[in-house]
Amino acid sequence: MVAAVTDEHDSPDRMRARIDALCAPGAICGGEVAQCIETHVSWVLLCGDRAYKFKKPLDLGFLDFSTRAQRLRACEEELRLNRRTLPEAYLDLVALGGSADAPALVPWSSASGADDGRDDLPEPGVRMRRFDAGAVLDDRLARGALDGTEIDALAYHVAAFHAAAAVADPRRTDWGAPRGVREAALQNFEQMQSLNTHDDAGDPLQRLRAWTAEQSVGLEAVFARRRERGRVRECHGDLHLGNIVLFDGAPRLFDAIEFSPALRWTDVAADIAFLVMDLLAHGRDDLGWRFLNGWLEHSGDYEALMVLDYYLVYRAMVRAKVALIRATQSDGAARDAMRAELHRYLALGERLATPRRPALLIACGLSGAGKTSQSQGLLEARGVVRVRADVERKRLFGLAPLMRSTESAEAGGAGGDVRARMYDDAANERTYARLAEVAETGLRAGWTVLVDATFLQRARRERCRTLAAQMGVGWGVLCFDAPLDVLRARVARRLAEGSDASEADETVLMRQRTLNEPLGTDEARHALRIDTTQAVCWDAAMLARVDALIRYAGPEHRAGGDEGAT
């Protein structure tokens, strides 16, 4: 789209002249030259430990910065939105005053002058604390520096951000309504089809468009229900690796979409889908599934699995569209690179749209056996979704995963001993019912689900086996175990560190041993025993054993057949 401006005083050329003058030695950096980074919609000046961002006077259709009043509103929104996640870096508004010959930067509150057509009117900008570009997660990933602990911290950060974000009122806005969701997704294909001048992208585009149209209809009730339940919120809107920075040692979001309410008022599942898709596109499925499981654990929003594939494909198609647009604007090698990127995202979209074969697994064992820590590799290798009894039990009592039961607002009050009530028979039944509910949701959405609990009683295990049969999916038991002295040491260390949701101590462990009902012969045929004395290696051979277990337990083998995978 052709850019438009309101008058000659708002022209990009005049603005650029003032920006260039600010970069001169001594203008704002003492004797140094400020570095200018130009994007298609802004200029960012880097100077010492500060950064200054100015909007270009453009109207691109999807954003309109053509007047000073609109640019000021956009700067104010940028401050407001990004202070939700990174207030330390988003400092205040500044005014670029003076002329091209004598530019000046002052606090916006000190600026004056009506919009009377003068070319020296103050221009609004955002002043930020500068951070190292090497701390941005896309750069860290490219250097092999991004690790699982940072992903875990990011999952917690994003879940907390979503929990605090403003909720769309379905009675007053259309944000997140099924029709709008469908139109936004299908619009990508209309735009790509109009730009695609090569036949090689036609077939995948048609297949993905048909899948998206079908899913839009099939998920309409889910979209509507999530909107009514407050899952449509004022999100980030552009949550990919390039907009997350390791700031003071912790991952933080920045550069939320300020120019389009429609792009940021969205389902939280659509927000996280961008990041998961970005990690998958970079070939880091392990980190993508790790982030997903961390976010689900902290948010408790397992219903998001019902729409996640839809939004993953949507985000991949947004990136495919951008690649196609850039291809039409390029020549030679640059065009070929963008065409290759287009096909990479189309292939990812088709992969994400391909139905999985869901299965139900349970991770059983005494406290300290490694059900959680040693199943992590399976989650990352296969995109398995895990739900933990320790976490869901606490959620039922209003506790965050890492909160101690003694920290509950109920502790010491009329409600009595919260810890005792958390582990009584009624709480146990509620917890296992919640685990079954989450498992069914995940299975219906097409995901393999791992239920992480002690499963001491056969009846608890049988409940999951029955669910798998009712859903027509494979099922299996992963039995984690280690010697008693190892279990004792682990629960003591874990409790002292306070780094896990479990509050089991040695007393709980010893009681579990007396209550534990060993697997029966029929169960053992469906079980894989895993010794966690040493860290479990989820290599191809180990994954093949899990696959064999699931196939054996699947619907086609219910009448009997192969020996188990024990």
Side-chain angles (χ1 to χ4, degrees):
M1 179 174 291
V2 177
V5 297
T6 55
D7 57 55
E8 62 175 333
H9 302 295
D10 280 317
S11 73
D13 289 342
R14 286 179 178 269
M15 274 280 295
R16 181 61 202 242
R18 297 166 80 181
I19 295 293
D20 287 343
L22 281 182
C23 294
I28 56 173
C29 276
E32 299 180 17
V33 176
Q35 178 186 357
C36 179
I37 298 176
E38 183 173 358
T39 73
H40 63 298
V41 297
S42 65
W43 293 286
V44 180
L45 302 182
L46 304 178
C47 175
D49 64 351
R50 293 291 181 261
Y52 303 87
K53 185 175 182 180
F54 298 93
K55 315 289 184 186
K56 290 183 176 180
L58 303 172
D59 181 356
L60 298 177
F62 64 90
L63 63 78
D64 187 356
F65 296 158
S66 59
T67 70
R68 285 190 181 89
Q70 289 167 318
R71 294 194 293 278
L72 174 59
R73 284 195 295 272
C75 289
E76 290 171 337
E77 280 290 84
E78 184 164 0
L79 271 185
R80 178 185 71 83
L81 294 167
N82 291 293
R83 280 176 170 174
R84 299 178 300 173
T85 53
L86 194 51
E88 303 94 328
Y90 284 79
L91 302 176
D92 52 26
L93 297 183
V94 294
L96 169 55
S99 63
D101 296 329
L105 272 182
V106 297
W108 183 259
S109 58
S110 303
S112 61
D115 195 352
D116 56 7
R118 301 197 323 272
D119 63 3
D120 61 349
L121 286 173
E123 179 64 34
V126 177
R127 185 171 70 105
M128 296 174 283
R129 177 178 159 188
R130 183 179 178 182
F131 48 75
D132 182 3
V136 179
L137 293 202
D138 59 354
D139 187 275
R140 290 184 62 77
L141 184 70
R143 292 184 286 109
L146 185 60
D147 61 30
T149 58
E150 292 173 9
I151 291 294
D152 293 342
L154 176 60
Y156 172 78
H157 175 54
V158 174
F161 162 61
H162 285 156
V167 179
D169 186 344
R171 298 167 300 179
R172 299 183 180 181
T173 73
D174 290 331
W175 308 134
R179 179 178 177 180
V181 172
R182 180 180 68 252
E183 289 177 350
L186 294 178
Q187 186 181 62
N188 283 328
F189 296 102
E190 294 168 4
Q191 293 168 338
M192 282 190 282
Q193 286 164 356
S194 68
L195 293 170
N196 183 41
T197 57
H198 293 66
D199 292 336
D200 57 348
D203 288 344
L205 277 176
Q206 290 299 327
R207 288 192 296 268
L208 285 165
R209 189 191 187 287
W211 180 90
T212 298
E214 180 182 9
Q215 293 292 309
S216 295
V217 175
L219 292 171
E220 188 170 305
V222 185
F223 293 141
R225 183 170 68 244
R226 289 183 60 77
R227 184 166 172 259
E228 290 294 329
R229 291 179 175 177
R231 297 303 187 183
V232 174
R233 301 192 171 212
E234 189 175 33
C235 295
H236 183 279
D238 200 20
L239 186 53
H240 57 76
L241 293 166
N243 285 337
I244 309 168
V245 63
L246 199 65
F247 192 89
D248 291 343
R252 309 281 281 280
L253 312 185
F254 71 97
D255 206 17
I257 288 182
E258 86 284 6
F259 57 82
S260 172
L263 293 178
R264 68 174 182 269
W265 283 93
T266 186
D267 192 318
V268 293
D271 219 28
I272 67 159
F274 206 159
L275 179 56
V276 175
M277 184 281 299
D278 202 18
L279 287 163
L280 300 182
H282 281 85
R284 292 306 305 268
D285 296 30
D286 57 330
L287 296 182
W289 303 137
R290 183 167 185 144
F291 170 80
L292 172 61
N293 271 283
W295 182 85
L296 289 169
E297 186 169 295
H298 286 292
S299 70
D301 183 14
Y302 288 91
E303 188 192 43
L305 295 170
M306 299 290 292
V307 296
L308 185 59
D309 283 332
Y310 181 90
Y311 285 124
L312 287 170
V313 172
Y314 166 69
R315 293 300 190 181
M317 292 306 96
V318 169
R319 282 295 178 89
K321 179 178 68 175
V322 171
L324 183 54
I325 291 172
R326 292 173 64 188
T328 62
Q329 298 170 343
S330 308
D331 295 307
R335 180 190 58 204
D336 293 342
M338 288 300 99
R339 293 291 304 185
E341 185 165 315
L342 162 68
H343 285 283
R344 186 163 62 91
Y345 281 111
L346 290 175
L348 177 58
E350 291 207 282
R351 170 190 155 195
L352 293 167
T354 301
R356 304 177 193 81
R357 186 179 182 185
L360 179 58
L361 297 168
I362 66 172
C364 68
L366 304 180
S367 292
K371 298 184 296 298
T372 301
S373 63
Q374 298 306 306
S375 65
Q376 185 65 41
L378 175 61
L379 271 57
E380 296 176 12
R382 287 293 169 82
V384 173
V385 170
R386 180 176 60 203
V387 55
R388 297 179 58 195
D390 288 323
V391 171
E392 298 310 309
R393 184 186 302 274
K394 287 188 170 182
R395 202 184 316 277
L396 292 172
F397 282 81
L399 297 176
L402 296 184
M403 284 182 67
R404 301 291 92 179
S405 56
T406 54
E407 299 177 51
S408 169
E410 298 181 41
D417 183 6
V418 173
R419 180 177 169 80
R421 289 188 292 113
M422 280 178 60
Y423 293 92
D424 64 19
D425 290 342
N428 287 337
E429 181 56 34
R430 290 173 62 202
T431 300
Y432 277 92
R434 167 64 178 165
L435 297 178
E437 175 190 343
V438 171
E440 182 173 349
T441 296
L443 292 172
R444 289 192 182 282
W447 297 81
T448 290
V449 180
L450 175 67
V451 183
D452 174 346
T454 57
F455 283 106
L456 302 176
Q457 288 80 32
R458 177 185 175 95
R460 304 285 192 200
R461 302 189 293 266
E462 188 63 29
R463 182 175 190 170
C464 286
R465 183 177 182 175
T466 300
L467 174 61
Q470 291 172 343
M471 299 291 294
V473 302
W475 101 290
V477 183
L478 305 182
C479 300
F480 293 84
D481 197 13
L484 181 59
D485 60 336
V486 174
L487 301 182
R488 282 173 167 162
R490 285 176 180 170
V491 297
R493 181 176 62 251
R494 187 171 63 190
L495 201 60
E497 293 173 349
S499 57
D500 188 79
S502 175
E503 294 188 38
D505 55 16
E506 185 171 339
T507 301
V508 171
L509 172 62
M510 300 310 290
R511 183 169 181 268
Q512 288 174 354
R513 294 188 73 212
T514 66
L515 297 175
N516 190 30
E517 298 176 5
L519 298 186
T521 303
D522 57 332
E523 291 180 296
R525 295 170 57 202
H526 298 263
L528 176 62
R529 300 184 183 278
I530 303 173
D531 182 355
T532 64
T533 306
Q534 302 294 326
V536 178
C537 176
W538 292 96
D539 57 12
M542 188 64 167
L543 293 171
R545 295 178 72 188
V546 175
D547 290 341
L549 178 72
I550 294 173
R551 284 199 299 271
Y552 169 71
E556 65 272 32
H557 295 295
R558 273 197 207 115
D562 303 331
E563 291 302 316
T566 55

